[in-house]
Each structure stands twice: as structure tokens, then as C-alpha cells.
Amino acid sequence: MAEHHLPPEPADHHHHGGGRKGVHADDLKPSRRYTYYYGGGGGGGARALCFAVLVLLLAAGITWLVLYVVYRPSHPTLAVTSAAVLALYNATTASGPTAAAASFQVALVLRNPSARSAARYDRLAAYAAYRGEALTAPAPLPPLAQDPGAAVEVAPVLGAGAAAAAVPVSPETAAALAADVAYGVLPLRVVVLGRVRFVSGPFHRGWHSMYARCDLLLGVREATGKNGAGGVPRQAPLLADPACNVDM
């Protein structure tokens, strides 16, 4: 009878423990897990939307800057072309404070140098001052409207003409005024107050306060007094170009 032999078991070259398979150290390490995130396409759309918004904001800013430069109004300018002294005398009384009575008529030219902006003036008033003290009460001026680049001339009477009201002044100012009149040269300041508004095409700006002043140097030549006595200058030529400034 033939002999039957079982096939030999495979030899384990690393461990000898019967038929049990060997355990390696790498088998004891935790397995690595890899997680992958797949965006659903929304991230690219959000970035495109943000980019479009930034482009629109940049375009709007550039457009606003161009319109501001094109339609930006310039400050009005003021000039005095002539002046006359209607009354100027010492009005001090024995029982009252030191006072002076003065009245002037000045020709004012208010110009709007803006090429694209119209100007509107309101609540205008003018008065004359000497050495920082008012010689006349503020005289109201009518509202004015100017087209771009236009000029308006007004000739207000400051101080109510020959019947000028007495205005209190300091003794030093009264003495200096008398000395300047006797010398024949009178430094005077004309002040114009009010508010201005600019209209530039579709843009309507708000009202801005305006403070304008012109420093004059008047030449006093002839004089007649109150009721025919004293010294009231009549002619007052401008001895130099008036220096005018406008603040807003």
C-alpha cells in the first residue's frame, strides 16, 4: 500500500511560534487617515463678487474725484474800485463817551471766478472799521446771484450819509482818527459779511459763511464840516490798490 505524505508547512523565516503569524511593530501604529475637502464651487463665486464690488467702488471713487476737480468752486473775490467820505467828524459830547460820526460810500465788485459753478449770496452786510473799531453800523445789502465767471458791482452807503449816527470809540482811536484826517491820509477797512452757496450743474452745496475785508488807504483832500463847520472830507481817492481777502 502506497504511503501518503502531507505537504510540509511553509517555513516562517522570522518567528518560530508554531503556526501563529508574527506581529510586526508597524502593525501597532495607528493608521493614517486622509481627509479631502472638495469645495462646491461657492468660493470662486464669492471671490468674483468681492472683486466686482471693489472694481465698482474704485470706479465710483475715480468718478467722484474727477467731478470734484471739475466742478470745485473757487472762493469769490472782492475789490474796491472807488470810495467817498460823506461824513467824518468828532461826535463826542460833554456828557457822553468819546464818539465819532462817519459815513462812506464805496464801490464793491464781487466776482465769482468759478468757471462751472454759479454763486448765490444772502444775508450780506457791510461796515467800515478803523484801527479795529467799527465806525459805521452794518448796512444790509440785497441778495446777489452770479453766473459762473460773472461779477456784480454794488455801491452801498455805510453810515447813513451826511446824517451819520455817532458811534462810540476809544479816546485813542478818536485821537488817531483826527491826526490821520489832518495829515490827509486815512487807512480804512471795509468789511462784508454774509453767506454764499454754490450750484455746480447737478450739485447743490450748502451755505457757507463768508467774511471779506478790504484795507484801503484814502487820500483826504477837501473838507466841510457838519452844518458848514469843522472838517468833513468829501473826496477820498485810493492812494494804493486795496488789499482784499475773502474767507469762507
Side-chain angles (χ1 to χ4, degrees):
M1 186 173 64
E3 294 181 359
H4 298 279
H5 298 279
L6 295 175
E9 295 182 9
D12 190 350
H13 300 285
H14 300 285
H15 301 280
H16 301 278
R20 183 177 301 176
K21 185 178 180 181
V23 179
H24 297 277
D26 292 340
D27 297 334
L28 299 178
K29 295 180 180 181
S31 61
R32 297 180 180 179
R33 296 182 180 180
Y34 299 92
T35 302
Y36 298 93
Y37 173 77
Y38 299 93
R47 288 193 296 270
L49 179 60
C50 292
F51 180 76
V53 171
L54 290 177
V55 170
L56 290 177
L57 291 177
L58 181 61
I62 294 176
T63 302
W64 180 87
L65 180 61
V66 171
L67 292 177
Y68 175 78
V69 172
V70 172
Y71 289 98
R72 180 181 58 182
S74 301
H75 284 191
T77 61
L78 181 66
V80 176
T81 58
S82 64
V85 180
L86 306 181
L88 182 59
Y89 55 88
N90 191 334
T92 304
T93 59
S95 59
T98 306
S103 180
F104 308 90
Q105 185 173 23
V106 292
L108 304 174
V109 178
L110 192 61
R111 184 180 300 276
N112 175 23
S114 299
R116 295 179 176 85
S117 300
R120 304 289 185 268
Y121 303 91
D122 192 18
R123 300 179 182 177
L124 295 175
Y127 67 92
Y130 173 78
R131 292 173 64 93
E133 297 187 41
L135 290 181
T136 66
L141 303 178
L144 302 176
Q146 286 181 313
D147 293 330
V152 177
E153 182 176 3
V154 293
V157 174
L158 312 179
V167 176
V169 295
S170 64
E172 295 79 12
T173 297
L177 183 60
D180 287 338
V181 171
Y183 185 70
V185 178
L186 178 65
L188 192 71
R189 169 170 286 190
V190 177
V191 179
V192 179
L193 304 174
R195 62 179 189 172
V196 61
R197 181 181 183 182
F198 296 99
V199 179
S200 306
F203 303 99
H204 295 262
R205 292 173 172 81
W207 291 99
H208 299 274
S209 299
M210 184 182 71
Y211 172 71
R213 67 273 186 199
C214 288
D215 291 326
L216 318 177
L217 195 60
L218 307 181
V220 180
R221 293 182 179 178
E222 298 180 359
T224 59
K226 181 181 180 182
N227 298 326
V232 181
R234 292 296 183 181
Q235 299 179 2
L238 300 175
L239 299 181
D241 292 334
C244 298
N245 292 286
V246 178
D247 293 333
M248 293 176 52

